[in-house]
Amino acid sequence: MTTTTATPARTGTDVPVSPYQSYVYAYPHKTAYRRLADRPRLDALWAGEPKDALSLYLHIPFCEVRCGFCNLFTRIGAPDGLTGAYLDALDRQATAVREALGERAPVRFATAAFGGGTPTFLTAAELQRLCDIAEHRMGADLRAVPLSVEASPATATADRLDVLATRGTTRLSLGVQSFDDTEARAAVRPQRRADVEAALGRIRDARIPVLNIDLIYGIDGQTEHTWLRSLDAALAWRPEELYLYPLYIRPLTGLGRRAGEADPAWDGQRLRLYRLGRDHLLAHGYTQQSMRMFRRADAPPQGADDYACQTDGMIGLGCGARSYTAGLHYSFDYAVGMHEIRGIVDDYVSRPAADFAHAEYGRRIDTDEARRRHLLQSLLQAEGLDPADYRARFDGRTPADDFPAELSRFADRGWLVEDTGPGATRLRLTPEGLAHSDAIGPELFSPAVRAAMAAYERK
């Protein structure tokens, strides 16, 4: 497989391409969703969908603090009684959704995840109830499928971890971001390294099979030396997985004053730190799964990884969760600003059960969008895209039939190769292509999705 190290990449008009356009963790993004005037019933939406290998996601929109870079749907803290009221609403929603799935075809969940926000913001007793909702209301066997849970150092307490381990958690993802206290403050993430290390000790004591540690590069004041020091501090715990995230500065976040400013020097710094981190992890026995994800070579398998958030057959519960059918992606209203998020959470907890039998915000997925989504979710993984699988899904067509200009452009930049291996041919990103994943993803957005995202009014 050939590679190139030309940087920065350039377009046909000789304009530099920033490696950091947008983190594509779901397509289409929720800023392309709109209110669904017909409020389709869930039983109709799911009637013709396969239900034998569903993914279940429960969203908890609470955090003890909000990091300066965070634009996730979450609120800071919770007044007395709000988490209990939220779980009551989650129970009502789960009951309505499970009823909508019906009984004609077997309903089976193949994976489960609790995300946020910070699921471990809930108390140990509330986490028990969250697991009960997944198991008793939805019918997910948490001890028989991969179960991933997100946590923060401050909330990864022994009693909470004991509940999660006992109920079948196979993966615990800890948002550390930096082991350097000064860098943590610069990212508006108040934490001390000593507290992070103590949390990691408790997680290892809980014997959850897979520990993931999230780290961020591109923080103000971060150097190659401090980045390597954070990486080595993480490696000392021998995590089964590591995610390396570039810092993004987005509107309506704590660091949002810098949002929208082109900064080639910062792009260059982040790209250097990415390459340094990638090479350091590869040298320490990790394999690269995507631009962000690295797995220890001897780690136990965990199923679909971050690929899972892109598959059809996703059931999302909670006011910030997405659900995916083949023809519609849907959720509740979306916001980043604290006032608007509080309003959406308050609306969610006040809803009667009947409201949860309908989809309210979403985006229809036609054949073109399905093809784009499949290409995106495949190319941005290190293993690449299987053209035979694409042909089987899309009536014998090939990626080159549907996206000739985009694929040629990526190849011309040295980002994409056709890799012919033993018994199979795959389209793969080169190492430099993986480094530019956040430029490649947005180039595959449809004009309609681009227009909808551009027209979205931030709130």
Side-chain angles (χ1 to χ4, degrees), residues 170-172 200 203-204 207-213 234-235 237-243 281 285-287 289 293-302 305:
T170 56
R171 178 180 182 271
L172 196 290
L200 286 165
I203 293 167
R204 282 311 197 194
R207 299 187 179 278
I208 292 170
V210 173
L211 164 65
N212 172 71
I213 296 176
L235 288 171
W237 291 96
R238 300 198 74 243
E240 285 72 23
E241 296 177 2
L242 277 157
Y243 271 73
L281 295 186
Y286 285 75
T287 60
Q289 307 296 307
M293 183 186 179
F294 296 80
R295 175 182 288 128
R296 211 177 72 207
D298 61 346
Q302 272 293 289
D305 307 318

Side-chain angles (χ1 to χ4, degrees), residues 367 371 390-397:
T367 301
R371 291 170 179 163
Y390 190 96
R391 288 193 299 272
R393 286 173 180 257
F394 300 114
D395 299 323
R397 297 185 64 83

Side-chain angles (χ1 to χ4, degrees), residues 55-344:
S55 297
L56 179 64
Y57 177 78
L58 275 64
H59 179 256
I60 304 300
F62 305 107
C63 290
E64 71 273 19
V65 296
R66 188 170 195 182
C67 304
F69 51 83
C70 179
N71 74 335
L72 297 178
F73 186 95
T74 188
R75 61 164 291 162
I76 302 169
D80 286 347
L82 182 57
T83 54
Y86 184 84
L87 290 172
D88 289 343
L90 199 66
D91 192 287
R92 294 195 299 274
Q93 185 186 11
T95 302
V97 170
R98 184 60 186 82
E99 182 177 335
L101 293 177
E103 301 294 343
R104 290 186 179 180
V107 175
R108 175 183 171 272
F109 290 94
T111 64
F114 302 158
T118 308
T120 49
F121 181 90
L122 300 178
T123 66
E126 289 171 332
L127 285 171
Q128 289 278 21
R129 187 177 179 201
L130 185 68
C131 293
D132 286 344
I133 291 170
E135 291 194 336
H136 303 154
R137 291 289 184 260
M138 294 304 299
D141 186 349
L142 298 182
R143 293 174 183 84
V145 302
L147 170 60
S148 179
V149 181
E150 297 171 3
S152 67
T155 61
T157 58
D159 59 339
R160 292 177 171 105
L161 293 170
D162 181 64
V163 168
L164 294 176
T166 301
R167 298 302 292 264
T169 301
T170 56
R171 178 180 182 271
L172 196 290
S173 182
L174 192 72
V176 173
Q177 320 315 349
S178 176
F179 283 85
D180 184 295
D181 291 355
T182 301
E183 290 177 5
R185 287 194 296 272
V188 194
R189 185 179 179 85
Q191 67 184 22
R192 298 184 306 141
R193 176 171 175 173
D195 296 330
V196 172
E197 301 276 3
L200 286 165
R202 293 190 296 270
I203 293 167
R204 282 311 197 194
D205 288 343
R207 299 187 179 278
I208 292 170
V210 173
L211 164 65
N212 172 71
I213 296 176
D214 289 344
L215 296 175
I216 285 180
Y217 54 92
I219 300 169
D220 279 351
Q222 191 176 49
T223 66
E224 292 183 6
H225 174 70
T226 62
W227 177 230
L228 283 174
R229 198 163 58 195
S230 267
L231 288 166
D232 285 337
L235 288 171
W237 291 96
R238 300 198 74 243
E240 285 72 23
E241 296 177 2
L242 277 157
Y243 271 73
L244 308 185
Y245 289 94
L247 179 65
Y248 274 96
I249 305 298
R250 301 176 177 94
L252 303 181
T253 64
L255 298 176
R257 64 188 181 280
R258 284 173 48 186
E261 297 177 8
D263 192 341
W266 190 34
D267 283 351
Q269 180 212 20
R270 285 181 287 180
L271 200 52
R272 285 192 301 275
L273 294 176
Y274 161 78
R275 291 174 177 144
L276 181 64
R278 173 198 63 193
D279 294 347
H280 196 63
L281 295 186
L282 293 178
H284 280 77
Y286 285 75
T287 60
Q288 186 168 17
Q289 307 296 307
S290 68
M291 173 187 169
R292 289 165 172 75
M293 183 186 179
F294 296 80
R295 175 182 288 128
R296 211 177 72 207
D298 61 346
Q302 272 293 289
D305 307 318
D306 50 2
Y307 198 99
C309 72
Q310 289 283 12
T311 58
D312 297 331
M314 171 73 77
I315 299 288
L317 302 179
C319 60
R322 297 172 174 86
S323 295
Y324 303 144
T325 68
L328 180 72
H329 293 186
Y330 63 93
S331 183
F332 294 98
D333 198 4
Y334 172 72
V336 175
M338 282 291 99
H339 177 75
E340 286 75 12
I341 288 175
R342 285 194 295 268
I344 294 171

